[in-house]
Amino acid sequence: MSWLAGRCSDPLEILASYPREQVDRLLRIPNKRLHRDVAAIAELAKPSSLFVHTGSPEDREYVRRRALERREELPSKFPKHTVHFDGPRDLARDKANTRILVAGGREIPLVNTLDRDAGLREVAELLKGIMEGREMLVAFYLYGPSGSPSTLYGVQITDSAYVMHSEDILYRNGYSVFAERGEGFEYMLFVHATGALDENGWCRDVEKRRVYIDPEGNATYSVNTQYAGNTVGMKKLALRLAVYKGFREGWLAEHMFIVGVKGPGGRVSYFTGAFPAGCGKTATTMIADTVVGDDLALVRDFEGEARAVNPEVGMFGIIDDVNPEDDPEIYRVLTDPEAEVIFSNVLLTEEGDVWWRGKPGEPRKGLNYAGPWWPGKLDEQGKEVPPSHPNARFTVSVRHLAKLDPRIDDPLGVPVSAFVFGGRDSTAWPPVEEAFDWDHGIATKGAALESERTAAVIGRVGEVEFNPFAILDFLSISPGAFAELHFRFARRLERVPKVFGVNYFLRGRDGGYLAEKRDKRVWLKWMELRVHGDADAVETPTGRIPVYEDLRELFDRELGKEFSERLYEEMFAVRVPQQLKKLERVLAIYERMPDSPPLLLAILKEQGRRLKEFRAVRGDWVSPFKLDRR
Ligand code: SPV
Ligand code: MN
């Protein structure tokens, strides 16, 4: 039971003040904890009405209509396309005010924590009367395919129809499952309250924005915010609860895509992949042969095999720079009048067109995340206001994707052949490299993931951000504990996935990028061959890289492109000082944390020793043509 529910007096008495029909929908789920949770929030937040979502098409339509009636979403010229604005101060996840509630306020390395009692008292205070005059919406969702042993269950309570509309697109409805399962089964509870709005419909009290995650109570609370990353419980709030649960139970909740890559004879091999923002995650997802998921993966061991399910059935993707040349598939879906899409923080023109940076044509007068917009509009500092925001997004079902994998709903998920980790690195990592084994890959690729700041991010260009497993923002345990969980996870497997590192951003001696965008396909195909032992490799101190002839053939077959020996040499040369520098930076971080697994430290140190010995014999820059083939 959530902490707040424990404070609820008599659930049925509280619920009796709401319409009978809605209460009956709730009572049809025979679960007393649930009745208590819903009643407790109602008692505290004092909504004037209640809606309980049964998952029927009528209820879905009701939620969508409410979002429009309340102007949380605005209509566009296509009836199925709506536009939501978060307002200029609520456009992204609020890292500072997102905290993991921990008993006694114990610190967790690199995780923003808060004393649990203090945090819960604070949200209880903030929730008081916050839904007065509003409708409280309650819905039930699955975090995974129906009937899957991997699936988790969630209850969303919110006063935002936009939040629930988003969840209706992104997740499978779970009302009937809740009704069948009845008493005593475990679910995650997500409580969201929008808080006071200003005349634009944006959150007024953003300084009182709070996103608190309570792993002990399996519940989360977010107030005074609308941005989906802070409010859609089933997305990143659930991920933090799942990481915690997985750590205790021995499975992995990952911030990863799941894709299928076709190999010889029509076989399909599945990869999961973690990339920090701006490092090519969506691009890799869309360039693969089939898509199971673009953002999240739950990976469990079934009969000695690692199997992944996507907890979602939709995408909440960045729309900035989505264009018909680079992203034909996403562009097609987003411009299909028959696809239900919520656009957020784009430009809605006076003609009812949706425009974002990357869409062909010029932006015209209209509304955007900061109010009325016109070409040349300046902000208070005299800076030009962009027509659409860099974090503008689309919310759409994956079922519109032509590449959707037929196993998206398989309760056992797909077998994972490889874990891929990708960073943005101008100097050290080659475009693709296989780890020596699972532990080596987890330590030197997953746990060592970094991304360079680009001009688009505040801070000094070229500075690197440590982002282990690309999940740092969503960890409810320490990075060391998360690495340890990965080591532990594979011990039970009979078939251990391979681990690869990829880097699309390596620069050559002239400072330019060495790889083209579409080359990703070749790296995927090479990894697929390696998974089945169908390609040779060259051994370096940091892993195994492709041999020239295999890549030449893949470039020709996949892209019709000539791949020169010179380019290969520059891409895959071992850059020893740069590799050492990167390694030492990561090792220093883990050495500072008190709970880093000894195995992790040992593997990183061992790699440092290997690199130094190698340098003593071979020098700083070593051509792959000079190395042994295995
Ligand atoms: C991410 O930032 O990784 C996202 C969007 O997928 S959010 O839901 O905001 O986390
Ligand atoms: Mn994400």
Side-chain angles (χ1 to χ4, degrees):
M1 190 171 4
S2 73
W3 179 81
L4 292 175
R7 303 167 16 128
C8 172
S9 41
D10 180 353
L12 290 181
E13 192 187 313
I14 293 157
L15 292 170
S17 57
Y18 295 99
R20 189 71 222 176
E21 187 201 336
Q22 300 301 322
V23 177
D24 280 347
R25 290 170 165 208
L26 187 66
L27 298 181
R28 233 172 281 148
I29 299 173
N31 185 323
K32 293 207 178 64
R33 176 197 154 185
L34 173 72
H35 306 157
R36 202 167 258 282
D37 275 338
V38 175
I41 302 305
E43 184 176 32
L44 198 58
K46 303 216 170 350
S48 59
S49 60
L50 174 73
F51 171 76
V52 178
H53 195 323
T54 66
S56 69
E58 296 73 31
D59 284 4
R60 286 182 72 111
E61 190 45 38
Y62 174 80
V63 169
R64 214 182 87 86
R65 200 178 72 233
R66 289 296 287 149
L68 286 162
E69 282 168 4
R70 291 159 49 155
R71 299 193 62 77
E72 290 187 70
E73 292 173 32
L74 302 176
S76 79
K77 76 174 183 202
F78 297 130
K80 290 191 176 175
H81 292 188
T82 55
V83 180
H84 167 81
F85 296 120
D86 289 305
R89 297 189 298 157
D90 195 20
L91 286 160
R93 282 185 279 107
D94 181 352
K95 291 194 205 185
N97 287 307
T98 300
R99 290 166 179 268
I100 309 292
L101 304 183
V102 183
R106 189 174 51 85
E107 285 185 16
I108 303 175
L110 302 189
V111 176
N112 196 7
T113 61
L114 180 68
D115 174 63
R116 179 167 187 258
D117 290 340
L120 290 171
R121 270 199 306 274
E122 188 187 356
V123 284
E125 201 52 46
L126 286 168
L127 284 171
K128 261 187 202 160
I130 199 168
M131 294 186 192
E132 268 170 25
R134 297 204 187 152
E135 180 176 33
M136 183 167 102
L137 310 158
V138 184
F140 309 87
Y141 297 103
L142 307 183
Y143 204 59
S146 174
S148 168
S150 298
T151 291
L152 306 180
Y153 302 89
V155 177
Q156 176 78 57
I157 300 180
T158 178
D159 59 3
S160 163
Y162 157 69
V163 167
M164 192 157 285
H165 182 200
S166 301
E167 280 176 325
D168 277 352
I169 294 173
L170 295 170
Y171 305 96
R172 300 165 176 94
N173 192 280
Y175 180 78
S176 56
V177 179
F178 271 73
E180 273 162 37
R181 297 284 292 266
E183 200 65 72
F185 94 103
E186 213 183 316
Y187 61 81
M188 306 175 277
L189 175 69
F190 309 107
V191 180
H192 165 248
T194 310
L197 297 174
D198 65 14
E199 63 284 1
N200 294 302
W202 305 331
C203 284
R204 197 190 64 194
D205 300 328
V206 285
E207 67 294 336
K208 286 193 225 148
R209 178 167 52 209
R210 297 292 181 269
V211 181
Y212 287 172
I213 290 104
D214 177 24
E216 201 177 300
N218 211 15
T220 75
Y221 305 90
S222 69
V223 289
N224 293 315
T225 174
Q226 297 187 59
Y227 174 67
N230 297 325
T231 57
V232 169
M234 295 295 289
K235 196 161 186 75
K236 294 307 186 352
L237 309 186
L239 179 59
R240 291 153 171 119
L241 296 178
V243 164
Y244 180 84
K245 188 172 163 66
F247 179 69
R248 302 178 118 196
E249 298 175 358
W251 50 268
L252 308 172
E254 299 276 12
H255 188 211
M256 286 179 147
F257 64 60
I258 309 169
V259 298
V261 182
K262 290 192 175 150
R267 72 184 175 209
V268 180
S269 308
Y270 291 97
F271 298 177
T272 57
F275 295 65
C279 296
K281 184 179 181 186
T282 307
T284 311
T285 307
M286 298 312 299
I287 216 164
D289 294 309
T290 72
V291 176
V292 181
D294 76 315
D295 195 38
L296 303 174
L298 305 180
V299 189
R300 289 206 192 219
D301 137 47
F302 291 128
E303 294 176 358
E305 196 168 52
R307 300 191 71 110
V309 299
N310 177 8
E312 312 188 278
V313 285
M315 302 170 75
F316 175 59
I318 292 186
I319 201 168
D320 191 47
D321 205 23
V322 167
N323 63 74
E325 283 74 43
D326 297 329
D327 319 278
E329 173 75 343
I330 292 185
Y331 189 81
R332 179 189 62 76
V333 173
L334 297 184
T335 50
D336 175 0
E338 289 311 310
E340 183 177 358
V341 188
I342 309 173
F343 296 90
S344 56
N345 306 315
V346 295
L347 174 69
L348 176 63
T349 71
E350 285 178 341
E351 296 81 24
D353 281 311
V354 167
W355 191 91
W356 62 88
R357 193 180 73 91
K359 194 173 181 187
E362 289 305 308
R364 315 247 298 245
K365 210 165 161 229
L367 276 180
N368 80 355
Y369 66 92
W373 184 89
W374 56 89
K377 182 183 179 185
L378 304 179
D379 67 13
E380 279 156 20
Q381 283 83 46
K383 262 182 54 196
E384 205 160 311
V385 180
S388 63
H389 192 268
N391 196 31
R393 290 190 175 248
F394 60 85
T395 301
V396 75
S397 166
V398 289
R399 305 213 188 262
H400 297 295
L401 295 176
K403 282 185 176 183
L404 183 68
D405 193 276
R407 296 165 83 173
I408 173 90
D409 297 311
D410 192 325
L412 287 183
V414 295
V416 185
S417 302
F419 278 52
V420 182
F421 295 102
R424 175 184 282 265
D425 172 1
S426 340
T427 63
W429 277 15
V432 63
E433 182 176 57
E434 179 189 323
F436 297 123
D437 56 32
W438 174 265
D439 289 353
H440 174 251
I442 291 306
T444 67
K445 312 228 177 285
L449 211 52
E450 295 180 316
S451 103
E452 264 162 29
R453 286 179 198 275
T454 63
V457 184
I458 312 153
R460 264 187 296 144
V461 173
E463 246 176 46
V464 281
E465 253 175 16
F466 174 66
N467 193 349
F469 304 92
I471 204 172
L472 186 61
D473 284 357
F474 313 111
L475 281 182
S476 47
I477 58 175
S478 74
F482 198 60
E484 184 276 324
L485 168 63
H486 283 75
F487 294 141
R488 179 162 35 111
F489 175 72
R491 301 291 176 264
R492 291 209 309 265
L493 299 177
E494 275 156 40
R495 254 162 301 155
V496 180
K498 281 191 183 286
V499 181
F500 295 92
V502 296
N503 173 25
Y504 308 143
F505 303 93
L506 185 68
R507 292 175 189 268
R509 278 181 272 224
D510 65 357
Y513 289 124
L514 290 173
E516 285 185 47
K517 280 187 182 173
R518 58 190 181 137
D519 297 355
K520 292 177 184 74
R521 224 178 132 69
V522 169
W523 317 138
L524 282 175
K525 294 288 177 182
W526 181 76
M527 292 187 268
E528 203 281 336
L529 293 176
R530 284 296 297 169
V531 159
H532 296 275
D534 291 340
D536 285 341
V538 174
E539 191 146 325
T540 80
T542 56
R544 301 191 181 107
I545 56 173
V547 298
Y548 170 68
E549 293 75 14
D550 290 336
L551 288 187
R552 189 184 55 196
E553 198 184 315
L554 284 171
F555 268 99
D556 180 49
R557 186 180 346 132
E558 294 299 322
L559 307 175
K561 194 170 135 179
E562 211 174 303
F563 184 61
S564 73
E565 290 193 8
R566 260 196 63 203
L567 183 56
Y568 168 75
E569 189 170 46
E570 194 163 10
M571 280 178 166
F572 288 95
V574 185
R575 302 164 174 222
V576 185
Q578 291 83 353
Q579 285 275 13
L580 271 169
K581 205 169 152 197
K582 197 172 169 72
L583 189 79
E584 278 155 16
R585 204 163 46 220
V586 170
L587 183 60
I589 295 173
Y590 282 107
E591 279 182 326
R592 275 202 302 276
M593 294 191 264
D595 67 343
S596 294
L599 179 60
L600 174 69
L601 298 174
I603 294 170
L604 293 173
K605 284 179 188 157
E606 184 56 35
Q607 179 140 314
R609 260 194 304 277
R610 262 197 316 275
L611 279 162
K612 283 178 192 152
E613 278 166 21
F614 184 80
R615 181 174 58 185
V617 181
R618 311 266 196 165
D620 279 350
W621 189 97
V622 184
S623 163
F625 287 119
K626 300 228 172 85
L627 300 174
D628 290 342
R629 201 165 149 154
R630 299 277 162 105

PDB file of all heavy atoms in Angstrom, residues 93 227 229 235-236 255 295 316 393 474, ligand 1:
ATOM      1  N   ARG A  93      12.567  17.365 -18.515  1.00  0.00           N
ATOM      2  CA  ARG A  93      12.610  16.733 -17.202  1.00  0.00           C
ATOM      3  C   ARG A  93      13.321  17.665 -16.224  1.00  0.00           C
ATOM      4  O   ARG A  93      14.311  18.293 -16.563  1.00  0.00           O
ATOM      5  CB  ARG A  93      13.340  15.398 -17.280  1.00  0.00           C
ATOM      6  CG  ARG A  93      12.469  14.296 -17.863  1.00  0.00           C
ATOM      7  CD  ARG A  93      13.152  12.950 -17.839  1.00  0.00           C
ATOM      8  NE  ARG A  93      14.074  12.796 -18.935  1.00  0.00           N
ATOM      9  CZ  ARG A  93      15.385  12.816 -18.835  1.00  0.00           C
ATOM     10  NH1 ARG A  93      15.965  12.975 -17.661  1.00  0.00           N
ATOM     11  NH2 ARG A  93      16.146  12.655 -19.890  1.00  0.00           N
ATOM     12  N   TYR A 227       5.077  18.519 -18.453  1.00  0.00           N
ATOM     13  CA  TYR A 227       5.966  17.835 -19.401  1.00  0.00           C
ATOM     14  C   TYR A 227       5.933  16.316 -19.175  1.00  0.00           C
ATOM     15  O   TYR A 227       6.115  15.834 -18.046  1.00  0.00           O
ATOM     16  CB  TYR A 227       7.398  18.369 -19.277  1.00  0.00           C
ATOM     17  CG  TYR A 227       8.355  17.586 -20.144  1.00  0.00           C
ATOM     18  CD1 TYR A 227       8.253  17.652 -21.538  1.00  0.00           C
ATOM     19  CD2 TYR A 227       9.299  16.722 -19.593  1.00  0.00           C
ATOM     20  CE1 TYR A 227       9.083  16.902 -22.343  1.00  0.00           C
ATOM     21  CE2 TYR A 227      10.135  15.971 -20.401  1.00  0.00           C
ATOM     22  CZ  TYR A 227      10.027  16.065 -21.769  1.00  0.00           C
ATOM     23  OH  TYR A 227      10.829  15.306 -22.581  1.00  0.00           O
ATOM     24  N   GLY A 229       7.828  13.799 -19.586  1.00  0.00           N
ATOM     25  CA  GLY A 229       8.933  13.117 -18.896  1.00  0.00           C
ATOM     26  C   GLY A 229       8.818  13.214 -17.380  1.00  0.00           C
ATOM     27  O   GLY A 229       9.384  12.408 -16.645  1.00  0.00           O
ATOM     28  N   LYS A 235       6.229   6.019 -18.024  1.00  0.00           N
ATOM     29  CA  LYS A 235       7.458   6.128 -18.797  1.00  0.00           C
ATOM     30  C   LYS A 235       8.676   6.139 -17.870  1.00  0.00           C
ATOM     31  O   LYS A 235       9.108   5.096 -17.393  1.00  0.00           O
ATOM     32  CB  LYS A 235       7.415   7.349 -19.730  1.00  0.00           C
ATOM     33  CG  LYS A 235       8.494   7.240 -20.774  1.00  0.00           C
ATOM     34  CD  LYS A 235       8.269   8.103 -21.969  1.00  0.00           C
ATOM     35  CE  LYS A 235       9.290   7.837 -23.039  1.00  0.00           C
ATOM     36  NZ  LYS A 235       9.124   6.599 -23.791  1.00  0.00           N
ATOM     37  N   LYS A 236       9.198   7.298 -17.557  1.00  0.00           N
ATOM     38  CA  LYS A 236      10.458   7.331 -16.837  1.00  0.00           C
ATOM     39  C   LYS A 236      10.299   7.206 -15.316  1.00  0.00           C
ATOM     40  O   LYS A 236      11.257   6.943 -14.611  1.00  0.00           O
ATOM     41  CB  LYS A 236      11.242   8.588 -17.212  1.00  0.00           C
ATOM     42  CG  LYS A 236      11.698   8.595 -18.674  1.00  0.00           C
ATOM     43  CD  LYS A 236      12.428   7.337 -18.986  1.00  0.00           C
ATOM     44  CE  LYS A 236      13.090   7.195 -20.344  1.00  0.00           C
ATOM     45  NZ  LYS A 236      12.925   8.128 -21.392  1.00  0.00           N
ATOM     46  N   HIS A 255      17.209   1.430 -20.282  1.00  0.00           N
ATOM     47  CA  HIS A 255      16.864   2.572 -21.142  1.00  0.00           C
ATOM     48  C   HIS A 255      17.426   2.252 -22.533  1.00  0.00           C
ATOM     49  O   HIS A 255      18.405   2.841 -22.966  1.00  0.00           O
ATOM     50  CB  HIS A 255      17.487   3.842 -20.553  1.00  0.00           C
ATOM     51  CG  HIS A 255      17.048   5.102 -21.230  1.00  0.00           C
ATOM     52  ND1 HIS A 255      17.853   6.210 -21.338  1.00  0.00           N
ATOM     53  CD2 HIS A 255      15.877   5.432 -21.826  1.00  0.00           C
ATOM     54  CE1 HIS A 255      17.197   7.166 -21.975  1.00  0.00           C
ATOM     55  NE2 HIS A 255      16.014   6.727 -22.280  1.00  0.00           N
ATOM     56  N   ASP A 295      12.807   2.873 -26.812  1.00  0.00           N
ATOM     57  CA  ASP A 295      13.277   3.590 -25.617  1.00  0.00           C
ATOM     58  C   ASP A 295      13.541   2.706 -24.401  1.00  0.00           C
ATOM     59  O   ASP A 295      14.477   2.965 -23.663  1.00  0.00           O
ATOM     60  CB  ASP A 295      12.248   4.677 -25.256  1.00  0.00           C
ATOM     61  CG  ASP A 295      12.792   5.712 -24.282  1.00  0.00           C
ATOM     62  OD1 ASP A 295      13.970   6.083 -24.412  1.00  0.00           O
ATOM     63  OD2 ASP A 295      12.042   6.155 -23.394  1.00  0.00           O
ATOM     64  N   PHE A 316       7.534   8.347 -27.685  1.00  0.00           N
ATOM     65  CA  PHE A 316       7.510   9.749 -27.288  1.00  0.00           C
ATOM     66  C   PHE A 316       8.852  10.282 -27.772  1.00  0.00           C
ATOM     67  O   PHE A 316       9.825  10.293 -27.047  1.00  0.00           O
ATOM     68  CB  PHE A 316       7.340   9.845 -25.764  1.00  0.00           C
ATOM     69  CG  PHE A 316       7.412  11.245 -25.214  1.00  0.00           C
ATOM     70  CD1 PHE A 316       6.532  12.232 -25.636  1.00  0.00           C
ATOM     71  CD2 PHE A 316       8.347  11.579 -24.247  1.00  0.00           C
ATOM     72  CE1 PHE A 316       6.596  13.520 -25.109  1.00  0.00           C
ATOM     73  CE2 PHE A 316       8.417  12.861 -23.712  1.00  0.00           C
ATOM     74  CZ  PHE A 316       7.546  13.831 -24.145  1.00  0.00           C
ATOM     75  N   ARG A 393       8.224  17.239 -29.254  1.00  0.00           N
ATOM     76  CA  ARG A 393       8.119  15.772 -29.384  1.00  0.00           C
ATOM     77  C   ARG A 393       6.840  15.335 -30.073  1.00  0.00           C
ATOM     78  O   ARG A 393       5.907  16.114 -30.231  1.00  0.00           O
ATOM     79  CB  ARG A 393       8.203  15.135 -27.996  1.00  0.00           C
ATOM     80  CG  ARG A 393       9.622  15.284 -27.436  1.00  0.00           C
ATOM     81  CD  ARG A 393       9.833  14.483 -26.196  1.00  0.00           C
ATOM     82  NE  ARG A 393      11.216  14.582 -25.778  1.00  0.00           N
ATOM     83  CZ  ARG A 393      12.084  13.573 -25.795  1.00  0.00           C
ATOM     84  NH1 ARG A 393      11.724  12.378 -26.187  1.00  0.00           N
ATOM     85  NH2 ARG A 393      13.330  13.760 -25.386  1.00  0.00           N
ATOM     86  N   PHE A 474      17.873   8.028 -14.709  1.00  0.00           N
ATOM     87  CA  PHE A 474      16.728   7.201 -14.284  1.00  0.00           C
ATOM     88  C   PHE A 474      17.119   6.124 -13.280  1.00  0.00           C
ATOM     89  O   PHE A 474      16.380   5.172 -13.055  1.00  0.00           O
ATOM     90  CB  PHE A 474      16.067   6.565 -15.515  1.00  0.00           C
ATOM     91  CG  PHE A 474      15.838   7.561 -16.625  1.00  0.00           C
ATOM     92  CD1 PHE A 474      16.559   7.494 -17.803  1.00  0.00           C
ATOM     93  CD2 PHE A 474      14.934   8.589 -16.459  1.00  0.00           C
ATOM     94  CE1 PHE A 474      16.369   8.422 -18.810  1.00  0.00           C
ATOM     95  CE2 PHE A 474      14.735   9.527 -17.459  1.00  0.00           C
ATOM     96  CZ  PHE A 474      15.456   9.447 -18.643  1.00  0.00           C
TER      97      PHE A 474
HETATM   98  C1  SPV B   1      14.538  10.717 -22.649  1.00  0.00           C
HETATM   99  O1  SPV B   1      14.855  11.873 -22.319  1.00  0.00           O
HETATM  100  O2  SPV B   1      15.317   9.769 -22.581  1.00  0.00           O
HETATM  101  C2  SPV B   1      13.192  10.458 -23.164  1.00  0.00           C
HETATM  102  C3  SPV B   1      12.177  11.490 -23.010  1.00  0.00           C
HETATM  103  O3  SPV B   1      12.939   9.386 -23.650  1.00  0.00           O
HETATM  104  S1  SPV B   1      11.591  11.605 -21.393  1.00  0.00           S
HETATM  105  O4  SPV B   1      10.301  10.941 -21.334  1.00  0.00           O
HETATM  106  O5  SPV B   1      11.474  13.012 -21.103  1.00  0.00           O
HETATM  107  O6  SPV B   1      12.518  10.959 -20.490  1.00  0.00           O
END
